[in-house]
Amino acid sequence: MIPAHKYTVIPRIPDRLKELLRIGMNLWWTWDPEAIDLFRRLDPKRLLWERCYANPIRMLGLVSQERLVELTTDEGFLAHLERVGAKLSSYMERPAWFAQAHAGSGLRVAYFCAEFGIVEGLRLYSGGLGILAGDHLKSASDLGIPMVAVGLLYRRGYFRQYLNADGWQQEQYPEADYYTLPLTLEQRPDGSPMAVEVEFPGRKVQAQVWRAQVGRVPLYLLDTDIETNRPEDRAITGYLYGGDRDLRVRQEILLGVGGVRALEALGVEPTVCHINEGHPAFLCLERIRRVMVQHGVSVAAAREMVAASNIFTTHTSVAAGIDVFAPELMERYFAPYYAQLGLSREAFLGLGRQNPADPNEPFSMAVLAIRLSGATNGVSALHGRVARRMWSGLWPGVPVEDLPITSITNGVHVRGWLSHDMAGLFDAYLGPRWISHPADQSVWERVEQIPEAELWRTHERRRERLVAFARRRLRVQLEQRGAPPAEQELAEEVLDPKALTIGFARRFATYKRATLLFRDPERLARILGDPQRPVQIIYAGKAHPADQEGKDFIRQVVHFARRPEFRQRIVFLEDYDIKVGRYLYQGVDVWLNTPRRPLEASGTSGMKATANGAINMSVLDGWWDEAYDGTNGWVIGRGEEYEDAGYHDQVESQAIYQMLEGEVVPMFYTRGRDGLPREWIRRMKSAMRSLSPVFSAYRMVKEYTERLYVPAGQRWHSLGANGLERARALATWKERVRTHWRAAAVRSVEADMVAPLEVGTTRPVRAEVGLGSLSPEDVTVALYAGPLTAEGEIISATVSEMKVEGSPRAGAYLYAGTVQGQTTGLHGFRVRILPAHEDLGNPLAMNCITWG
């Protein structure tokens, strides 16, 4: 029966408890242990919190009216409520780092991403990208960054995972009830739902706007599942990463174009847009269109202003991971944009092609984002190098190491992932600054003051809780699968709360090599089954619904876990999510990571485990490539890269066995008379001390702010002043320089390099440079010098600017500079010409470069 009228039912909360709603609607509670304890306290048996999947709003609707009335006279509960309410108010009102460091900057950042992982009950994430985005918002809130975020509100989100009797992954998509989630539907002044429109072929699609408040940061989520839309358009926000290419392009149009329009409707004018992965990149086009309409300027001038204020972060290490769309699909949805932007079809499609002249090349969202952003970064130092190689075709003639792609290594919001037990130790021995200044190395040096016995007992309690959780979870899995009662009973016997416990949990992409440990099952069985020194492994993870190889990896793990020699020692936990991850990070002894280098862009799960006392054992890939120092964990291999994947797997699986047998297991089980593994604890402390402050989202967001956000915001204001006066001038200058660039040439070079150059000395170099219609003010001429490889390539180059000497002669200018002897060995240099302008960002982005 379809209702004639609709209405919303909300919990009836007594006046003395109204503060519960205010606290529950701000996701700040997700990283405040006292707030979480407050909601747990609503239910005396402490079962409702788990049943509600850590959702306080739903919980308030399920708590009996009698219990709520009872709490109005519970002085202990009321005092607890008052404390938490006061903490939230203080948090929201007190000045934070940004207000002190960048007061008056006028910065307003809009952070766009396809997924956000903040709390388990709000299923808007699939894996690392979303979790990273959630931690970014939490730390931006802590730092007081003036930020809003934009995403999509998926009715069914990413799938819930369960396994069939054969261990094959199955997917479920339960529907979310937005009215029992910590979400607020944004409204117009007249009280009607706020909605924005996006044009699709032959129709307009409406999306209403919901808000999730993440501390100080509002996260705006677009929802097309409303009655005014066609069924196929209501499905746009149905599933995360579901459907065909047509649905995907509609999702990304909604996220990018609709997201910008939603901010406009809300009265939010960002000075900087952060494009987190390529999915939201269409926002670049909408921002350009808006600037053209508002200021009556050309597409070239609008592009200068917008691109200068866009930041693009790529998280992908392989081209196959980038969203691309066929030219026909782009034309179907964007043909009207050609006219609005004043671009031809070819010029428009060229924005998303590495080779704009190739009519068959698909349209890449990453290329669009790179082309229309003032800064692009990878998410670890190694990934930055990989990204530069990956996108080198965008800058022909530029050495790979000089490409304008930098890196900012990921970090985690430590407080949000830390166990209550460990947080108590930090409060006692590190002091309050571990919360207010989590990236301060001096704070983490105090880890050494934690008594070894206290640290170890705390960690052991968390391992025991992990084992208890795994047993409960496994039993539920067996019940749902219809396993016999006898098999269900065996779930109570798996794992040993005292045994060395290894965790492996992540997306089951094939390059992550989840089955690497099973290359030699007999040897693994001897390691795990040693009665004096037992070892156990807990697996968790999802494969993408379309990834059959990844699903087969899960099936293989499950089948190995069922073998008699592994039955008590290996467990696969279904439906990996924030909740499962938290238990694992907080309870394992070793966090295992086995990607095929260099395909792991960063990874953050090991960072969360480290803060909780786990020790990483990982391939030198992603963040671990720059984190490992010889004392804070273990490495698998030495950073080698192999062409033969089978040989690669064989070598590194043997390395894992040898490390477990020769170092890891003996270190864990070597105990003093007091039962403490002192060498193991020293390594735990070394990891916590050296890694937690560095791989912190607090550090990460500060780095984004100071290196990228603030400069981009300044460029937005500068280029946009006086009716975009400087943006117009820059666009005109670029057109002139590109038109006449072919005339720029190094006609001759004079340098006496016959005699060796001693370290610390210099030698003069002169170059005759023809510029045609350009002037010396339009260019920089520089010496590009450095050591030579065996193949004769310059590496680790230093760039020193050359100066004009005298007046021009015969249509050319004489430039002078010096080459310096910095290190011994064979070196070389070239003369390089690049465009130069005071408002130009990175000159390499113009693709105007001339070498002598």
Side-chain angles (χ1 to χ4, degrees), residues 272-596:
V272 174
C273 283
H274 187 163
I275 306 164
N276 196 42
E277 196 51 281
H279 311 108
F282 290 136
L283 72 85
C284 305
L285 304 174
E286 179 63 10
R287 291 189 81 200
I288 290 172
R289 188 195 66 79
R290 287 187 67 243
V291 170
M292 291 174 66
V293 171
Q294 289 176 350
H295 299 279
V297 297
S298 68
V299 66
R303 176 177 175 172
E304 293 304 328
M305 184 173 172
V306 168
S309 62
N310 283 340
I311 308 298
F312 173 50
T313 298
T314 174
H315 296 257
T316 308
S317 297
V318 291
I322 300 296
D323 272 352
V324 296
F325 300 112
E328 299 77 20
L329 191 61
M330 289 297 298
E331 187 168 14
R332 182 190 311 165
Y333 285 98
F334 282 95
Y337 248 80
Y338 305 164
Q340 293 180 42
L341 295 178
L343 296 175
S344 67
R345 176 184 184 275
E346 292 71 26
F348 179 87
L349 293 177
L351 293 172
R353 290 169 169 164
Q354 290 204 58
N355 179 6
D358 182 357
N360 299 313
E361 184 179 337
F363 189 97
S364 165
M365 297 298 284
V367 172
L368 175 68
I370 293 171
R371 279 229 165 86
L372 296 181
S373 294
T376 296
N377 70 280
V379 289
S380 69
L382 177 59
H383 180 236
R385 297 195 294 271
V386 171
R388 286 190 286 275
R389 290 199 302 268
M390 186 173 168
W391 299 113
S392 60
L394 287 169
W395 297 279
V398 178
V400 171
E401 62 184 13
D402 295 333
L403 295 181
I405 298 178
T406 185
S407 65
I408 293 180
T409 302
N410 284 344
V412 298
H413 187 263
V414 172
R415 197 176 180 211
W417 297 104
L418 202 66
S419 74
H420 291 196
D421 309 79
M422 196 64 74
L425 274 188
F426 290 174
D427 287 341
Y429 293 100
L430 273 60
R433 283 176 59 84
W434 81 267
I435 295 175
S436 61
H437 293 77
D440 186 339
Q441 182 68 53
S442 66
V443 171
W444 291 92
E445 292 296 331
R446 297 176 195 160
V447 165
E448 294 298 335
Q449 298 176 17
I450 301 176
E452 293 183 344
E454 280 194 61
L455 179 60
W456 187 245
R457 301 305 176 216
T458 298
H459 180 66
E460 285 198 309
R461 283 197 301 274
R462 292 310 313 181
R463 190 191 318 112
E464 290 166 3
R465 290 176 188 171
L466 168 61
V467 168
F469 170 77
R471 288 172 174 173
R472 292 195 305 271
R473 191 91 172 193
L474 181 59
R475 177 151 194 163
V476 171
Q477 292 173 196
L478 293 171
E479 288 175 358
Q480 293 175 342
R481 205 176 297 156
E487 187 177 348
Q488 296 178 29
E489 292 293 333
L490 290 175
E492 301 298 331
E493 301 176 9
V494 301
L495 306 177
D496 177 350
K498 299 295 184 184
L500 171 59
T501 304
I502 299 172
F504 183 101
R506 53 193 31 87
R507 184 164 53 93
F508 264 64
T510 51
Y511 80 85
K512 294 178 182 284
R513 299 189 295 176
T515 58
L516 191 64
L517 269 178
F518 300 107
R519 296 278 300 188
D520 188 342
E522 289 74 21
R523 190 172 181 184
L524 180 63
R526 290 194 298 272
I527 296 171
L528 270 56
D530 185 334
Q532 303 303 317
R533 304 189 305 182
V535 180
Q536 56 200 16
I537 310 170
I538 303 178
Y539 280 91
K542 296 177 177 178
H544 187 280
D547 184 1
Q548 301 305 312
E549 286 187 272
K551 289 183 178 183
D552 188 58
F553 272 29
I554 293 175
R555 187 191 62 81
Q556 290 180 48
V557 171
V558 170
H559 278 249
F560 275 110
R562 291 174 180 170
R563 287 168 60 159
E565 63 269 34
F566 296 132
R567 188 177 293 274
Q568 306 299 314
R569 297 286 177 227
I570 299 178
V571 169
F572 184 92
L573 299 182
E574 296 175 15
D575 202 26
Y576 180 43
D577 62 1
I578 288 175
K579 178 180 177 179
V580 175
R582 193 178 285 116
Y583 271 99
L584 284 165
Y585 308 142
Q586 295 174 1
V588 299
D589 300 296
V590 174
W591 192 257
L592 180 64
N593 189 33
T594 56
R596 195 183 306 281

